[in-house]
């Protein structure tokens, strides 16, 4: 190893600190010519993106969800990992991969031992003894229901767990720990029943623990635990992706944090998986970017993720909701992405960005920090980007690793006139050494016992003593860039005659005794290293890129998972056992589908190619097809496995057919068609009603539902049976075949306005419109769950996904909001959905987070929620403003009965016949009176919905509607969230043009022409009557019931009242007469005027 500051004698004392030139930051010029014989002097800079660790972490632990009853009682989540005897990170083992024994020791091929420069001296200070258990305050953490009881329960849990740990340690034979651990790792290839996992993801954080327990940072809103009693917990609390976590030294407390809106910091009890403290809005700007816990587990430190970062010190055992101290950092310091406490003094901290290291010191007076200066000119050497920092375990120094393969040594520098007691302040920290340790970039720097440990982009692990002398290293593992390393809490077994520890590379060659550890790499590989015998076990090697493709076997408990890195894997999701895999080099799997017989597995790729594989061996059943014009997004088999259809990003549908050729069955390309002009959302096969022949439909964002005539299609000709525009304004998102609850066959669709619609399967007439789930975003994909054998045939269930949630809906759909429930599954976005053949499990893929999650369906919880929501019309009354007793309902009753008077004639003198029904012709008028203004097409849909509601059963049309059915009709058809100003502004963006002032306007003449010529045309008389009424020409609200509209003067009024250029605000406020929301600027001006008035009054 070479020192970049000055030369160093080889004979150094055995301990102490690392000293350097304290008076000058510049290196003498003659030092630059020093010969570096042990390592090349050339520094290889590491790209910025290789250090940050931008890859999402992965859920790979076992978990069993017990979600809150309001949102997720109908699901439980499983994710699995094998167990290890010690509590390092445990992850699914590939059964086809065996552990490799790699013995590292001194050899001629190894690097020569390098010695740092400078004079070493022993500080001789006693290390501060810090208790490992947090000392609880008299009050329990805030946000807990009963502080005293919760505190007592937590203490009891902790005492029991500690007693259990001590008993287990006494009972175990320490010499057999390594053997038992190896057995557990091998047994991890087959995970226990009812476990599966987030099977595909790179790992970015891991932690070792004292028991047979595993912990991993996750992109999903939860944290996973696995204990030797097979207790699986999925702690629920975060609504965003977990961005960072930390674990106390005794492995008792775990703190997690996230980024995004409503971000949280949650402290968990690792023994029970119960959250014991929650900090709300700790960093409301953008959440938490880094977190650390002190050695005594009493304090947390967090780094904000905003543009202006804030460092906060929290005493989390205190009921206070605010940090003890906080300080804002200057943006010039760069984005600080790593922070850690001094294990010997929790009042000292260090953090770093790529370009700046900061030292902190806090006490009763506040939190202060310093930013010591270090550039390439300080030592006339290239420093590189900083990766991680750590405090020295034997003195007051600190170290920082860099992408230049160097270690920066920081120390407190005291002028002769300054008392030694003041040297610990952060402003006295300076870089005294720049140690060149290797040419490859360092990614990890930590300390374990009496060693510093570094990891790099080549997958090498090196151990240094307190003087930074190289003691041992592992360089033959052939790993990718290492992201994290975690050491077991159990101390290593002492060396004996029977032990198999490698020798250190020091002169005396003593046994190199360290704890067992686990590594996670950037390329989604996790390995366990047993120190004794240097045994390497590869626990997992999974997908490195996005996972969008999942498919469940139609008759077995198998799931196929494909990723953009070309990895295809098949798992038994009940036994949670990996079965077989195949890698498609240079290809990205986008979608998968099993055929109904379970014989074939079709895969669509982003390059437009299609593979049809044997479902067992994953070998090609036929040659590769490449007829799609772009990435294949959808793929589906017909019910008889004779057809395969695909959709691609170029809006084309391609069909393949299974034929008999030379006495053997084989697949061939039939035809393709550019059938849509916007992205295709779904393709599905069905069965013709009067035969067993398949039918194929595709649905696009162009609002077209296209049905193909497979019987009339031939080679290179795909016939279209019919095209139907199924939406007027909304965009359809997905479709499925509706279960046969009635003799009439339906197609179910969901659109981006939170509506679900039923269309007659043959005529494509809209038969029913219903309010769908409203959980923040429209439904992206729906799937009817298979019926269980013991299930009521009139009660089926539908699984769906939104932007970031997975949900369950009770069928048949009627608009009752209590019949659906949703749960956050992938905060970064869910990309795909699949269900098991028995309808007991649902799987979701997270796309870029590389996670696949398994959900167990609990229909009893959802049924209970429906019962609690009320029966008959009660759920619909609650959706009205004010409910059943509100003014809105009373007004609706008045309009309903007034409609009866209209239908009987306003001027009729006969006795009135009051009933509970109104004619269907009056429905549009009542709807408009209630503030819902449907288009003519929507009115036709509403009337047809009621008119043909009983036609299948009675053969008669319905001609009137009662109040209860009208309320359901109103709830289901009105906009889910009303009319917003944003929608009007978007319309002006499309129809209008920009002015010099930057406003979007529509010319008056163009507006009148658009209303008469586009969409549902208005006649000139209708337009005149409508506008004059809106502008106030008819104070009575238009013509009377019996009057005739007089349009004289309408042209002059419109010319006078309507400006030549109309903005969205003018159209809304002056023409429609609707209130417009005040802008933030206007609100600010009003607040300023109010403040000024108050100040004037006070003066």
């Amino acid at each position: 190893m070479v020192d970049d500051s000055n030369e160093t004698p080889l004979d150094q004392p055995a301990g102490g600190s690392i000293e350097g030139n304290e008076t000058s930051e510049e290196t003498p010029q003659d030092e630059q010519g020093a010969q570096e014989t042990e390592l090349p002097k050339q520094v290889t800079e590491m790209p910025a993106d290789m250090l940050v660790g931008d890859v999402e972490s992965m859920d790979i632990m076992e978990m069993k969800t017990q979600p809150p009853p309001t949102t997720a009682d109908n699901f439980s989540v499983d994710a699995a990992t094998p167990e290890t005897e010690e509590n390092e990170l445990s992850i699914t083992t590939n059964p086809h991969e065996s552990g490799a024994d790699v013995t590292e020791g001194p050899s001629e091929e190894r690097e020569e031992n390098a010695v740092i420069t400078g004079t070493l001296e022993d500080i001789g200070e006693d290390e501060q003894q810090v208790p490992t258990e947090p000392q609880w305050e008299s009050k329990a953490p805030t946000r807990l229901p009963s502080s005293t009881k919760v505190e007592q329960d937590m203490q009891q849990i902790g005492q029991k767990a500690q007693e259990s740990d001590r008993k287990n340690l006494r009972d175990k034979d320490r010499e057999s720990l390594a053997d038992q651990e190896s057995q557990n790792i091998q047994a991890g290839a087959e995970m226990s029943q009812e476990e599966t996992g987030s099977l595909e993801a790179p790992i970015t954080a891991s932690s070792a623990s004292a028991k047979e327990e595993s912990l991993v940072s996750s992109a999903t809103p939860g944290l996973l635990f696995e204990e030797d009693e097979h207790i699986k917990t999925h702690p629920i609390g975060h609504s965003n992706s977990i961005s960072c976590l930390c674990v106390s030294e005794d492995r008792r407390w775990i703190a997690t944090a996230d980024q995004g809106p409503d971000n949280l910091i949650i402290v968990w009890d690792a023994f029970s998986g119960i959250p014991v403290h929650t900090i709300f809005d700790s960093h409301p700007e953008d959440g938490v970017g880094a977190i650390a816990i002190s050695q005594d587990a009493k304090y947390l430190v967090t780094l904000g993720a905003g543009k202006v970062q804030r460092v906060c010190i929290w005493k989390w055992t205190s009921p206070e909701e605010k940090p003890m101290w906080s300080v804002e950092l200057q943006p010039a310091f760069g984005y600080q992405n790593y922070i850690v406490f001094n294990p010997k003094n929790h009042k000292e901290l260090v953090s770093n960005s790529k370009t700046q290291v900061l030292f902190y010191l806090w006490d009763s007076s506040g939190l202060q920090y310093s930013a010591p200066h270090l550039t390439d000119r300080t030592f006339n050497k290239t420093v590189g980007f900083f990766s991680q920092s750590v405090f020295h375990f034997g003195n007051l120094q600190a170290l920082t690793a860099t992408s230049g393969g160097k270690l920066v040594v920081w120390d407190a520098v005291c002028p002769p006139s300054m008392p030694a007691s003041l040297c610990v302040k952060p402003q006295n920290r300076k870089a005294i050494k720049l140690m060149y340790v290797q040419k490859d970039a360092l990614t990890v720097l930590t300390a374990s016992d009496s060693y510093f440990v570094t990891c790099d982009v080549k997958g090498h692990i090196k151990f240094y003593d307190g003087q930074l002398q190289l003691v041992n290293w592992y360089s033959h593992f052939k790993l990718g860039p290492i992201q994290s390393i975690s050491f077991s809490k159990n101390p290593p077994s002492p060396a004996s005659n029977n032990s198999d520890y490698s020798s250190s590379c020091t002169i005396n060659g003593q046994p190199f005794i360290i704890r067992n550890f686990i590594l996670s790499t950037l390329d989604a590989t996790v390995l366990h290293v047993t120190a004794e015998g240097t045994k390497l076990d590869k626990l997992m090697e999974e997908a490195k890129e996005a996972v969008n493709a999942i498919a469940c076997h139609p008759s077995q408990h198998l799931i196929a998972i494909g990723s953009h890195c070309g990895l295809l894997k098949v798992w038994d999701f009940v036994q949670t056992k990996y079965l077989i895999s195949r890698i498609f080099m240079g290809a990205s799997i986008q979608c998968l589908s099993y055929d109904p017989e379970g014989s074939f597995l079709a895969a669509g790729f982003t390059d437009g190619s299609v593979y049809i594989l044997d479902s067992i061996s994953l070998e090609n059943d036929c040659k590769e097809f490449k007829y799609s014009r772009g990435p294949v997004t959808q793929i589906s088999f017909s019910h008889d496995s004779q057809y395969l259809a695909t959709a691609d990003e170029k809006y084309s549908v391609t069909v393949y057919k299974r034929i008999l050729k030379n006495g053997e069955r084989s697949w061939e390309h039939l035809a393709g068609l550019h059938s849509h002009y916007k992205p295709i959302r779904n393709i599905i096969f069905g069965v013709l009603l009067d035969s067993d022949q398949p039918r194929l439909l595709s649905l696009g964002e162009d609002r077209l539902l296209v049905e193909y005539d497979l019987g009339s299609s031939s080679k290179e000709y795909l016939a279209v049976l019919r095209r139907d525009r199924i939406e007027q304004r909304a965009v359809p998102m997905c479709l499925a075949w509706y279960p046969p609850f009635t003799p009439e066959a339906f197609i179910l669709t969901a659109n981006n306005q939170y509506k679900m619609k039923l269309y007659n399967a043959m005529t494509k007439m809209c038969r029913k419109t219903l309010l769908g789930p409203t959980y923040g975003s429209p439904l992206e994909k729906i799937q009817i769950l298979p019926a269980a054998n013991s299930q009521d045939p009139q009660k089926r269930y539908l699984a769906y996904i939104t932007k970031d949630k997975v949900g369950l809906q009770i069928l048949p759909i009627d608009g009752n909001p209590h019949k659906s429930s949703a749960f956050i599954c992938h905060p970064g976005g869910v990309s795909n959905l699949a269900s098991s053949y028995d309808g007991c499990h649902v799987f979701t893929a997270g796309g870029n987070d590389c996670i696949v999650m398994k959900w167990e369906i609990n229909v009893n919880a959802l049924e209970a929620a429906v019962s609690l929501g009320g029966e008959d019309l009660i759920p619909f009354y609650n959706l009205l403003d004010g409910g059943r007793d509100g003014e809105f309902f009373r007004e609706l009753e008045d309009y309903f009965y007034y409609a009866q008077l209209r239908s009987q004639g306003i001027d009729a003198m006969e006795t009135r016949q009051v009933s509970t029904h109104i004619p269907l012709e009056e429905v549009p008028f009542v709807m408009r009176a209630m503030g819902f203004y449907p288009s003519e097409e929507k009115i036709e849909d509403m009337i047809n919905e009621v008119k043909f509601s009983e036609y299948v059963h009675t053969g008669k049309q319905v001609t009137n509607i009662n109040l209860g059915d009208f309320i359901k009709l109103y709830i289901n058809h009105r906009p889910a969230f009303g009319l917003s100003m944003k929608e009007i502004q978007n319309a002006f963006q499309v129809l209008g043009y920009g002015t010099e002032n930057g406003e979007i306007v529509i010319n008056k003449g163009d507006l009148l022409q658009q209303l008469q010529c586009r969409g549902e045309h208005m006649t000139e008389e209708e337009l005149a009557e409508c506008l004059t009424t809106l502008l106030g020409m008819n104070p009575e609200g238009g013509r009377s019931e019996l009057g005739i509209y007089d349009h004289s003067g309408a042209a002059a009024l419109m010319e006078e009242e309507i400006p030549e250029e109309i903005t969205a605000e003018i159209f809304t406020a002056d023409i429609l007469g609707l209130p417009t929301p005040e802008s933030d600027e206007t609100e600010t001006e009003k607040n300023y005027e109010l403040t000024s008035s108050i100040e004037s009054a006070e003066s």
Side-chain angles (χ1 to χ4, degrees):
M1 179 168 52
V2 178
D3 179 10
D4 284 349
S5 57
N6 47 42
E7 296 181 359
T8 305
L10 294 178
D11 50 345
Q12 295 293 346
S17 60
I18 307 161
E19 291 190 355
N21 189 349
E22 301 177 359
T23 59
S24 175
E25 294 183 346
E26 296 292 328
T27 302
Q29 296 298 316
D30 56 354
E31 293 181 7
Q32 300 181 20
Q35 298 294 323
E36 300 177 345
T37 60
E38 299 185 28
L39 287 174
K41 190 171 183 178
Q42 180 182 359
V43 177
T44 303
E45 292 295 333
M46 177 182 177
D49 57 346
M50 296 181 66
L51 271 175
V52 181
D54 293 330
V55 181
E56 290 288 345
S57 59
M58 163 192 172
D59 256 335
I60 43 179
M61 306 296 98
E62 295 182 358
M63 57 182 171
K64 192 75 171 179
T65 306
Q66 298 175 352
T70 56
T71 58
D73 273 351
N74 51 315
F75 285 110
S76 64
V77 184
D78 287 341
T81 180
E83 304 167 359
T84 55
E85 176 69 22
E86 299 183 56
N87 192 14
E88 296 98 357
L89 173 66
S90 302
I91 302 180
T92 308
T93 305
N94 187 332
H96 299 285
E97 295 170 346
S98 58
D101 290 331
V102 183
T103 303
E104 289 284 352
S107 66
E108 295 180 358
E109 296 179 355
R110 287 194 174 187
E111 302 171 10
E112 294 294 333
N113 186 16
V115 185
I116 63 170
T117 59
T119 305
L120 306 176
E121 64 180 14
D122 192 355
I123 300 298
E125 296 182 356
D126 295 333
E127 293 186 4
Q128 180 180 358
Q129 300 297 323
V130 183
T132 59
E133 280 290 319
Q135 304 298 317
W136 290 89
E137 299 293 330
S138 57
K139 295 183 179 180
T142 185
R143 304 279 180 163
L144 294 177
S146 174
S147 59
T148 304
K149 184 177 186 303
V150 170
E151 179 180 339
Q152 293 173 354
D153 291 344
M154 288 173 54
Q155 291 175 349
Q156 290 176 2
I157 292 173
Q159 293 170 1
K160 290 179 180 179
Q162 290 175 355
E163 291 172 1
S164 175
D165 281 350
R166 287 193 291 267
K167 182 177 182 299
N168 289 338
L169 289 175
R170 287 195 302 266
D171 293 342
K172 289 181 181 178
D173 183 359
R174 177 167 295 184
E175 294 183 0
S176 65
L177 280 177
D179 293 338
Q180 180 68 30
E181 178 179 333
S182 176
Q183 294 173 7
N184 284 342
I185 293 172
Q186 295 173 1
E190 297 184 2
M191 291 177 281
S192 61
Q193 189 175 5
E194 295 187 359
E195 299 166 0
T196 188
S198 307
L199 305 172
E200 312 280 340
I203 309 302
T204 58
S206 61
S207 175
S209 178
K211 300 174 66 180
E212 290 80 355
E213 179 177 301
S214 302
L215 166 63
V216 136
S217 164
S218 169
T220 59
L223 192 66
L224 314 177
F225 303 84
E226 176 188 336
E227 301 183 6
D228 46 0
E229 292 86 359
H230 294 280
I231 299 175
K232 298 169 287 292
T233 311
H234 181 201
I236 297 174
H238 294 283
S239 59
N240 305 298
S241 299
I242 293 178
S243 57
C244 51
L245 65 81
C246 60
V247 184
S248 63
E249 182 66 20
D250 61 356
R251 307 305 196 267
R252 176 62 189 276
W253 312 109
I254 301 165
T256 59
D258 63 65
Q259 295 181 9
D262 302 322
N263 54 81
L264 301 174
I265 300 172
I266 303 179
V267 181
W268 311 84
D269 184 337
F271 293 162
S272 64
I274 298 175
V276 297
H277 189 77
T278 301
I279 301 174
F280 298 88
D281 294 326
S282 58
H283 295 268
E285 307 85 13
D286 284 302
V288 181
I291 190 171
I293 191 168
S294 62
Q295 185 84 358
D296 59 3
K298 288 184 179 180
Y299 302 96
L300 292 173
V301 61
T302 56
L303 267 170
K307 293 182 179 180
V308 178
Q309 290 186 278
R310 190 162 53 97
V311 178
C312 298
I313 305 291
W314 309 83
K315 188 173 183 180
W316 68 269
T317 56
S318 168
E320 292 293 330
E321 297 186 9
K322 296 182 178 180
M324 297 175 57
W325 305 109
S326 66
V327 64
E328 287 190 353
L329 305 179
Q330 300 178 21
F333 295 150
Y335 182 81
Q336 300 284 313
N337 55 15
Y338 186 81
I339 192 166
V340 67
F341 279 96
N342 187 341
K344 302 189 302 296
N345 181 5
H346 61 251
K347 295 189 175 182
E348 290 187 51
L349 304 99
V350 61
S351 73
N352 64 261
S353 65
K354 291 182 181 180
T355 57
Q356 181 67 59
V357 177
L358 302 178
F359 290 92
Y360 307 82
L361 182 67
W362 65 275
D363 51 26
S364 58
S365 62
L367 173 63
Q368 54 181 322
Y369 71 95
S370 69
H373 180 73
L374 176 61
T375 65
D376 292 347
R377 298 186 59 186
T378 303
F379 296 104
N380 286 334
K381 301 293 180 182
T382 301
V383 177
F385 292 124
F386 300 130
S387 56
Q388 291 185 3
S389 302
V390 67
F391 284 96
H392 200 292
F393 48 75
N395 53 52
L396 299 179
Q397 295 174 342
L399 305 175
T400 299
T402 78
S403 63
K406 299 180 175 66
L407 292 177
V408 181
V409 182
W410 309 88
D411 206 349
V413 178
C414 295
S417 59
M418 181 179 294
S421 60
L422 299 179
C423 290
V424 297
K425 289 189 175 182
Q427 56 263 32
N428 296 315
R429 292 274 185 181
K430 289 186 178 180
I432 63 169
K433 292 286 181 181
L434 184 63
M435 309 302 304
Y436 182 95
V437 295
Q438 62 182 58
K439 65 179 181 179
D440 298 313
L442 299 175
T443 57
V444 176
L445 173 63
T446 187
S448 176
D449 296 329
S450 58
Y451 298 109
F452 291 110
V453 185
T454 65
C455 306
D456 60 33
V457 294
K458 292 293 185 63
H460 300 167
I461 309 105
K462 297 182 180 180
F463 295 82
Y464 301 87
D465 62 12
Q467 305 173 53
L468 294 188
Q469 292 180 335
L470 184 63
V471 178
N472 208 342
W473 65 90
Y474 301 98
S475 58
H476 302 310
F477 291 163
K478 297 181 180 180
L479 306 177
I482 297 176
Q483 289 291 97
S484 66
I485 186 169
S486 177
F487 288 85
S488 171
K489 186 184 178 183
N490 293 337
S493 303
S496 64
N497 294 333
N498 299 326
S499 61
D500 190 22
Y501 288 106
S502 60
S503 300
S504 64
C505 58
T506 57
I507 296 177
N508 52 20
Q510 293 292 326
F512 180 61
I513 303 175
I514 58 170
R515 302 168 188 257
N516 299 339
F517 58 92
I518 274 184
L519 302 168
S520 62
T521 68
L522 189 64
D523 57 2
T525 303
V526 179
L527 303 101
H528 178 274
V529 178
T530 304
E532 187 173 0
T534 319
K535 184 178 180 182
L536 175 69
D537 291 280
K538 185 177 289 186
L539 303 182
M540 186 191 74
E541 186 174 14
E542 293 295 341
K544 309 170 183 63
E545 299 179 27
V547 177
N548 294 319
I550 55 175
C552 289
H553 195 279
S555 59
Q556 299 181 38
H557 295 102
L558 304 179
I559 180 172
I561 301 172
S563 73
H564 276 194
C565 66
L567 177 63
L568 173 61
K569 277 194 170 184
V570 178
W571 293 76
D572 183 327
F573 59 79
V574 171
Q575 300 296 328
T576 319
K577 182 169 63 175
Y578 153 66
L579 300 178
I580 192 171
S581 65
R582 177 178 174 180
I583 296 179
F584 297 85
M585 301 302 297
S588 299
I589 304 173
Q590 182 68 25
C591 53
L592 293 169
S593 178
Y594 280 99
D595 76 302
E597 297 176 357
S599 301
F600 303 108
L601 176 63
F605 291 78
T606 55
D607 62 357
S609 60
V610 174
Y611 284 79
I612 301 177
L613 312 173
D614 181 272
S615 63
I616 298 176
S617 65
L618 300 186
E619 297 294 331
N620 288 7
D621 185 75
C622 60
K623 64 181 179 67
E624 167 196 1
F625 296 110
K626 196 168 184 180
Y627 292 93
S628 297
R629 303 180 181 181
V632 179
T633 57
Q634 308 280 336
I635 192 165
S636 179
F637 281 95
S638 63
H639 74 287
D640 56 3
S641 301
Q642 297 303 305
Y643 290 92
L644 172 69
T646 66
D648 58 49
E649 287 188 1
K650 299 299 182 180
Y651 321 140
S652 296
V653 172
T654 307
V655 179
Y656 304 87
K657 186 177 182 180
R658 195 179 183 199
I659 62 172
L660 185 63
K661 187 176 183 180
N662 298 328
E664 295 183 356
R665 290 282 184 179
S666 63
W667 291 90
E668 72 168 11
H669 171 256
L670 180 62
L673 182 66
H674 188 85
S675 51
H676 294 268
Y677 62 89
K678 285 188 177 181
I680 299 174
R681 299 294 306 187
N682 261 127
I683 55 171
I684 59 171
F685 277 97
V687 183
L688 292 173
L689 298 181
D690 55 352
S691 68
D692 194 39
Q693 294 301 310
R695 57 189 300 197
L696 175 64
L697 294 89
S698 65
L699 178 67
E701 292 183 8
D702 52 11
R703 303 177 178 88
L704 291 179
L705 178 62
V706 181
E707 182 170 1
Y708 305 87
D709 189 348
L710 297 177
S712 302
S713 300
S714 59
K715 188 69 174 176
E716 304 303 334
Y717 172 68
L718 183 58
V720 173
L721 185 62
R722 59 183 295 165
R723 280 188 173 92
D724 296 277
R725 184 180 177 89
I726 63 171
E727 293 282 1
Q728 184 181 27
R729 182 166 172 268
V731 177
M733 305 297 289
C734 48
L735 83 162
W737 294 105
Y738 200 59
F741 295 118
T742 65
E744 187 177 4
F746 292 113
I747 297 171
L748 175 66
T749 69
N751 63 33
N752 67 340
Q753 294 183 353
Y754 301 90
K755 301 296 183 182
M756 303 183 80
K757 293 187 176 183
L758 293 176
Y759 294 89
N760 184 280
M762 298 306 297
T763 65
K764 309 301 188 299
M765 175 191 290
C766 181
R767 293 282 285 102
K768 209 162 192 178
T769 300
L770 302 150
L771 177 65
T774 54
Y775 293 104
S777 60
L779 304 190
E780 298 282 343
K781 185 170 287 191
I782 59 178
Q783 194 165 89
I784 307 296
L785 298 182
N789 295 332
S790 59
Q791 186 174 301
D792 181 0
Q794 290 299 313
K795 185 160 287 187
R796 297 284 297 276
Y797 300 90
L798 175 144
Y800 61 85
I801 55 174
T802 65
K803 180 181 178 181
D804 58 353
K805 299 176 181 68
V806 59
L808 194 67
Q809 170 79 47
I810 296 178
L811 302 179
I813 303 172
D814 59 4
N816 183 350
H818 301 292
K819 284 190 174 183
S820 67
S821 180
F823 181 70
I824 295 176
C825 56
H826 301 272
V830 55
S831 63
N832 208 346
L833 172 73
S835 65
S836 61
Y837 74 93
D838 56 5
C840 295
H841 297 91
V842 167
F843 299 86
T844 58
N848 290 330
D849 67 11
C850 303
I851 296 173
V852 172
M853 299 190 72
K854 169 189 168 186
W855 304 82
E856 182 181 351
I857 295 175
N858 181 4
V859 296
N860 294 330
L862 187 56
E863 295 287 354
V866 175
S867 300
L868 294 174
E871 298 179 350
D872 197 25
L873 288 173
I874 294 177
F876 297 93
Y877 289 146
N878 294 333
L879 294 176
L880 299 174
D881 294 339
R884 175 66 175 80
D885 301 324
E887 181 180 349
F888 187 88
F889 181 79
R890 292 195 297 270
E891 186 177 356
L892 175 58
E893 283 184 314
D894 292 340
Y895 286 130
F896 194 79
Y897 291 117
Y898 178 70
Q900 293 185 28
L901 300 180
R902 275 178 44 93
S903 64
Q904 297 174 23
I906 296 297
D907 58 348
M909 302 302 294
E910 294 82 5
T911 303
R912 299 291 183 179
Q913 300 294 326
V914 179
S915 69
T916 58
H917 295 73
I918 62 172
L920 291 183
E921 293 78 10
E922 296 296 323
V923 168
F925 299 101
V926 182
M927 289 287 182
R928 292 171 184 140
M930 300 307 298
F932 170 40
Y933 303 94
S935 64
E936 295 300 320
E937 183 176 316
K938 287 185 178 180
I939 290 173
E940 183 180 357
D941 288 343
M942 286 189 291
I943 293 177
N944 287 337
E945 178 177 326
V946 180
K947 182 186 296 184
F948 298 105
S949 59
E950 299 178 3
Y951 187 81
V952 175
H953 302 285
T954 64
K956 298 180 180 179
Q957 296 182 1
V958 178
T959 58
N960 51 35
I961 185 172
N962 61 31
L963 180 60
D965 290 339
F966 180 86
I967 292 175
K968 290 183 180 181
L969 193 69
Y970 171 75
I971 293 294
N972 285 319
H973 281 266
R974 69 174 181 176
F977 302 105
L979 180 65
S980 66
M981 186 65 189
K982 185 177 180 181
E983 292 181 82
I984 299 176
Q985 291 172 341
N986 289 340
F988 271 70
Q989 289 279 354
V990 175
L991 301 174
Y993 58 90
T995 63
E996 296 179 355
N997 300 328
E999 293 183 315
I1000 303 298
V1001 300
I1002 298 178
N1003 182 270
K1004 177 174 64 175
D1006 292 340
L1007 176 62
L1008 298 178
Q1009 184 181 9
Q1010 295 277 3
L1011 292 173
Q1012 296 180 73
C1013 302
R1014 301 289 296 273
E1016 294 182 343
H1017 307 168
M1018 298 180 70
T1019 65
E1020 186 175 347
E1021 183 177 339
E1022 289 174 337
L1023 181 60
E1025 180 181 1
C1026 179
L1027 288 176
T1028 53
T1029 301
L1030 288 171
L1031 294 173
M1033 180 178 178
N1034 302 310
E1036 297 292 331
R1039 57 186 170 88
S1040 66
E1041 296 288 343
L1042 304 177
I1044 299 175
Y1045 174 69
D1046 181 10
H1047 57 80
S1048 60
L1053 179 65
M1054 288 188 290
E1055 186 69 27
E1056 179 182 352
E1057 297 291 337
I1058 301 178
E1060 285 298 321
E1061 293 185 336
I1062 306 169
T1063 64
E1065 289 72 21
I1066 292 175
F1067 180 76
T1068 304
D1070 298 343
I1071 298 179
L1072 297 182
L1074 300 176
T1076 57
E1078 293 182 340
S1079 63
D1080 295 338
E1081 185 176 338
T1082 304
E1083 194 67 22
T1084 304
E1085 292 177 358
K1086 287 189 175 183
N1087 291 338
Y1088 176 77
E1089 293 173 0
L1090 179 61
T1091 304
S1092 302
S1093 300
I1094 294 174
E1095 290 176 351
S1096 301
E1098 289 176 347
S1099 61

